[in-house]
Amino acid sequence: MMTLQGRRVLVAITGGIAAYKCVELVRRLKDRQAQVRVLMTESAQAFVGPLTFQAVSGEPVHTELLDPAAEQGMGHIELARWAEFMLVAPATANHMARLAQGFADDLLGAVWLAHAGQKIIAPAMNQQMWRAPAVQRNAAVLQGDEVLILGPASGAQACGDVGPGRMLEPADLLAQLEALCFRKDLHGLKVVVTAGPTRERLDPVRYISNFSSGKMGYAVAEAFAERGADVDLVSGPVQLSTPVGVRRIDVESAGEMHKEVMLLASFADVFVATAAVADFRVDAVAAQKIKKDASGLQLNLVPNTDILADVASLSEECRPFVVGFAAETQQVQHFGRDKLERKRLDMIACNDVSAPGLGFGSDRNALWLLWKDGSCQLAEASKKHLARQLVDHILEQRTRQGVHD
Ligand code: PMT
């Protein structure tokens, strides 16, 4: 799907070492057939020459506030009106401050003020600078002005420090821009998604869990959010960042997940249970670390409440459209259909978690979707791609099974 095709993106580059990554970003935008123009501040030109960006964008690069070549010498207004998206990348601490205050004494500041489309910044700076209260204040002001802040990422920095402050990679920025371009046809739809594993404590230092990374559930939450749905993501402990536009509620155990989901589910239109919820917990968590004993350790496990089944049992007037997942290692469709019927679900997405490279932890998966009188197979693909297809099928079945807005 070419979501960026024909979209008008203005990439404004300020003076940071990450400016070189924008060459790749502009190239990738052009590959997606976006229309791209580039603006550079004076300090950005110390890092990469305008000719490089002219070559990759195929357009002259804008560097001057008063442009004698532009109609009426008002190049900044024309440029601001032309752009649908204005992305400042890398956004230095200095330029964040200037944009937050509304300075218009250079081309970037003037175009920023005159631009009525979506404004986005991708900060890049030293980790201590990023943490500085003044920078955080400016970030909050920009967010209050409805500027979308993408990143920064954490990791090793050009100055040798490690921490938050790296500009997002071009591929990540591109994915976020693509998400913004999706049709926003799900405004008003309330969705609750569970994701990740749960942890069931044994004692203060040990727990029972599983290999879920949360990738599938986060992709589902993102796929709904990018179309404008109102998404709550109830997440077990994972190492993923929250998708744009998603409200995330962090939980640890199945009991906590159950509590948070039940608070939300009766107000939701759709519930998708992607989480790998631990089926058992110990009957009593030890207050102190359990001591090693040569005779071994006996655990008394009791079943956790089934969150999905509880949501599916809500009374008709407050029951959402309920979608479960089934992680199977054999007879995938057979066991999936059994869960669909037993838990009284509207749909179930079954995956073979024994298939190499798919399922738990992987970026890829393959699904069988089952509902009362039908099924369909979603061939192996990235979890993000599958999640978008899944959303389409959920909406179709929800309409077909008689739920109308
Ligand atoms: O997180 P990833 O690394 O991306 O991996 C994705 C995944 C393999 C975890 C995902 O695709 C998946 O299959 N999720 C469901 C895992 C699971 O627990 O399956 P199950 O067959 O044991 O449970 C069936 C359904 O009941 C699931 O929707 C589960 O969320 C739900 N359940 C189970 C137990 C419980 N106490 N409460 C529940 O809600």
Side-chain angles (χ1 to χ4, degrees):
M1 203 178 318
M2 283 284 203
T3 49
L4 280 163
Q5 188 173 13
R7 307 306 289 265
R8 297 184 306 278
V9 185
L10 173 61
V11 181
I13 301 165
T14 75
I17 180 65
Y20 80 91
K21 291 187 186 174
C22 291
V23 178
E24 175 70 5
L25 175 68
V26 171
R27 269 197 49 224
R28 286 183 180 232
L29 282 165
K30 293 294 288 181
D31 287 348
R32 301 275 194 298
Q33 298 176 21
Q35 299 182 54
V36 189
R37 292 191 187 169
V38 176
L39 178 164
M40 297 182 82
T41 62
E42 201 179 326
S43 49
Q45 295 169 59
F47 289 91
V48 186
L51 258 184
T52 307
F53 284 105
Q54 182 169 325
V56 287
S57 69
E59 296 277 348
V61 172
H62 301 263
T63 54
E64 301 297 329
L65 177 55
L66 298 174
D67 180 359
E71 189 190 345
Q72 301 170 337
M74 303 283 277
H76 60 288
I77 303 291
E78 289 158 31
L79 196 55
R81 285 191 183 143
W82 171 85
E84 287 176 77
F85 301 100
M86 179 170 180
L87 167 63
V88 183
T92 59
N94 178 44
H95 278 282
M96 280 180 63
R98 293 173 59 81
L99 298 176
Q101 292 304 312
F103 283 109
D105 59 351
D106 68 353
L107 179 61
L108 172 57
V111 173
W112 181 262
L113 292 181
H115 176 61
Q118 174 71 61
K119 292 173 181 164
I120 309 160
I121 67 166
M125 64 197 73
N126 164 270
Q127 54 84 24
Q128 200 57 51
M129 288 172 78
W130 171 252
R131 294 184 218 262
V135 172
Q136 290 305 309
R137 269 198 306 276
N138 291 330
V141 168
L142 290 166
Q143 269 171 329
D145 291 346
E146 296 188 3
V147 174
L148 187 58
I149 302 184
L150 301 181
S154 264
Q157 302 198 298
C159 57
D161 279 8
V162 177
R166 285 167 61 94
M167 190 177 91
L168 287 191
E169 293 303 319
D172 297 324
L173 287 174
L174 206 69
Q176 303 270 12
L177 282 173
E178 280 182 321
L180 283 174
C181 292
F182 264 87
R183 58 190 193 281
K184 303 285 184 197
D185 58 345
L186 300 184
H187 272 302
L189 189 82
K190 289 191 180 307
V191 180
V192 177
V193 179
T194 64
T198 63
R199 284 181 185 167
E200 310 303 325
R201 287 180 185 235
L202 305 182
D203 67 12
V205 299
R206 303 183 181 93
Y207 56 82
I208 300 173
S209 192
N210 57 64
F211 293 110
S212 170
S213 63
K215 288 177 184 170
M216 191 71 242
Y218 275 56
V220 172
E222 185 174 10
F224 273 111
E226 65 194 6
R227 287 174 62 174
D230 181 356
V231 185
D232 284 302
L233 173 63
V234 183
S235 174
V238 298
Q239 304 295 319
L240 300 174
S241 45
T242 312
V244 177
V246 168
R247 247 184 330 271
R248 168 170 161 182
I249 299 129
D250 286 320
V251 297
E252 186 180 277
S253 65
E256 286 170 21
M257 187 173 275
H258 182 266
K259 182 172 153 249
E260 295 299 337
V261 167
M262 297 318 285
L263 287 173
L264 295 165
S266 51
F267 301 101
D269 300 301
V270 177
F271 174 61
V272 187
T274 316
V277 184
D279 288 318
F280 299 97
R281 66 181 192 281
V282 286
D283 59 349
V285 179
Q288 304 300 332
K289 184 180 171 194
I290 301 166
K291 290 291 173 203
K292 206 155 59 177
D293 185 325
S295 65
L297 174 64
Q298 302 295 320
L299 294 175
N300 190 23
L301 298 179
V302 293
N304 278 323
T305 311
D306 194 307
I307 304 165
L308 179 61
D310 273 10
V311 175
S313 310
L314 286 170
S315 62
E316 208 50 49
E317 60 279 11
C318 59
R319 180 190 188 278
F321 187 85
V322 181
V323 183
F325 265 68
E328 306 296 345
T329 54
Q330 54 169 331
Q331 300 182 62
V332 175
Q333 286 191 70
H334 170 74
F335 287 123
R337 191 159 288 284
D338 175 61
K339 280 181 186 155
L340 176 84
E341 287 164 8
R342 208 163 21 86
K343 300 195 187 190
R344 301 197 306 115
L345 312 178
D346 298 304
M347 185 188 268
I348 194 156
C350 315
N351 43 189
D352 181 350
V353 291
S354 67
L358 304 182
F360 284 100
S362 161
D363 288 329
R364 297 180 71 75
N365 208 356
L367 297 173
W368 266 102
L369 305 186
L370 312 179
W371 54 93
K372 190 167 178 244
D373 52 3
S375 67
C376 102
Q377 188 173 19
L378 304 184
E380 183 188 329
S382 71
K383 284 180 177 170
K384 289 190 182 217
H385 185 68
L386 286 170
R388 287 175 183 151
Q389 295 181 75
L390 175 63
V391 167
D392 284 337
H393 283 282
I394 290 173
L395 297 172
E396 190 185 320
Q397 286 308 315
R398 183 170 171 265
T399 307
R400 212 180 63 84
Q401 295 182 25
V403 184
H404 304 281
D405 293 318

